[in-house]
Amino acid sequence: MIEDLIIALKSKDLWVYLAWHDIVSKYRRTTLGPLWSILITASSIICMSVLGSILFKINLKDFLPHVACGMVIWTFISSIIIESCLVFIGQAGLIQNIKLPLLSFVLRMFLRNAILFLHSFVILFVVLILFSSINAHFFLMIPSFLIYLINAVAIGVLLGFFASRYRDIIYIIQALLNIIVLMTPIMWKVEMLGEYSILANLNPFTHFIALFREPLLGQSINTFSLKYVVVFTVINSTLAHYLYSRFKNRLIFWL
């Protein structure tokens, strides 16, 4: 897997071009182009923040940055997970007819979602300027983003292989994400659960969102969240390496 990753990184022109082509195709023949993504995300953030501040009786100025960061990061993470299920199935024709590193398709998927994430980051930057403060902790999001990349590659391999072999995985993941989004502190805070906060802390998405949201909000990363994510990343990467090494040559027969 590591050898194929190095080969894929060396042939970056291919998957970078394909990722950019995906973005261009997404907005082709639209008037506003990428602005549509920004407007839709901004309207969702405003509606959920206002509603949440009323329901939970929280100051909107404090609650809006929390919700904005949570929603944008969740969209990024959930998109990667969903697209990971289709990362090989959707490119079956290329995989069956052209000899390319399989990880090129995973990197293409991540870069495409990273570009879309940068569109939404414009909203976060405006929200943080108006309602929060930016300090030195802000730059901790750079190593956090690298951790996201490592896990995205691992998840792309794991779900890509499993979904190619067992197509029901696609629907199971979609159903689980619809439940998990409600159990993850995106539009609420962990401390709201009181003595039941352990339920949120058992959720890996809680810590992955905190890994990126806390630096954006000018806070240091929680030590427990950092340790949790590091352990999760090691396990995730190890499983992906094992699965890739063992079933790489069988994938073509599952497509």
Side-chain angles (χ1 to χ4, degrees), residues 84-126:
S84 290
C85 296
L86 304 170
V87 70
F88 299 129
I89 297 173
Q91 304 300 320
L94 285 176
I95 295 173
Q96 292 171 338
N97 293 284
I98 303 175
K99 185 175 179 58
L100 292 171
L102 293 176
L103 293 179
S104 295
F105 302 103
V106 179
L107 292 171
R108 171 189 179 183
M109 177 271 296
F110 176 81
L111 181 58
R112 178 174 63 247
N113 283 284
I115 294 172
L116 294 174
F117 172 73
L118 290 177
H119 292 164
S120 301
F121 196 82
V122 174
I123 303 170
L124 290 184
F125 191 75
V126 172

Side-chain angles (χ1 to χ4, degrees), residues 44-167:
S44 300
I45 289 172
I46 292 171
C47 291
M48 297 308 300
S49 298
V50 172
L51 179 61
S53 66
I54 294 173
L55 290 175
F56 302 130
K57 296 180 174 56
I58 301 176
N59 189 318
L60 181 60
K61 183 179 179 180
D62 298 328
F63 195 57
L64 181 58
H66 178 87
V67 173
C69 293
M71 289 185 66
V72 169
I73 297 168
W74 169 258
T75 301
F76 180 47
I77 294 174
S78 60
S79 296
I80 287 176
I81 293 174
I82 292 173
E83 292 187 22
S84 290
C85 296
L86 304 170
V87 70
F88 299 129
I89 297 173
Q91 304 300 320
L94 285 176
I95 295 173
Q96 292 171 338
N97 293 284
I98 303 175
K99 185 175 179 58
L100 292 171
L102 293 176
L103 293 179
S104 295
F105 302 103
V106 179
L107 292 171
R108 171 189 179 183
M109 177 271 296
F110 176 81
L111 181 58
R112 178 174 63 247
N113 283 284
I115 294 172
L116 294 174
F117 172 73
L118 290 177
H119 292 164
S120 301
F121 196 82
V122 174
I123 303 170
L124 290 184
F125 191 75
V126 172
V127 169
L128 295 176
I129 291 294
L130 296 177
F131 298 97
S132 187
S133 60
I134 297 177
N135 54 34
H137 290 124
F138 180 83
F139 297 99
L140 290 174
M141 69 177 186
I142 297 174
S144 298
F145 195 78
L146 293 176
I147 292 176
Y148 275 28
L149 171 58
I150 295 170
N151 280 279
V153 172
I155 289 293
V157 170
L158 290 171
L159 292 183
F161 274 69
F162 275 116
S164 298
R165 181 66 178 86
Y166 307 103
R167 300 300 169 94

Side-chain angles (χ1 to χ4, degrees), residues 10 18 29 38 42 61 96 106 109 126 166 190 221-222:
K10 287 182 178 178
L18 291 174
R29 300 182 66 83
I38 296 173
K61 183 179 179 180
Q96 292 171 338
V106 179
M109 177 271 296
V126 172
Y166 307 103
V190 175
I221 299 174
N222 181 278

Side-chain angles (χ1 to χ4, degrees), residues 8-9 16-17 25 32 37 46 62 73 95-97 109 115 165 168 181 193-194 196 204 255:
L9 291 173
V16 168
Y17 170 78
S25 300
L32 299 180
S37 176
I46 292 171
D62 298 328
I73 297 168
I95 295 173
Q96 292 171 338
N97 293 284
M109 177 271 296
I115 294 172
R165 181 66 178 86
D168 293 322
V181 66
L193 295 180
Y196 299 104
L255 299 176

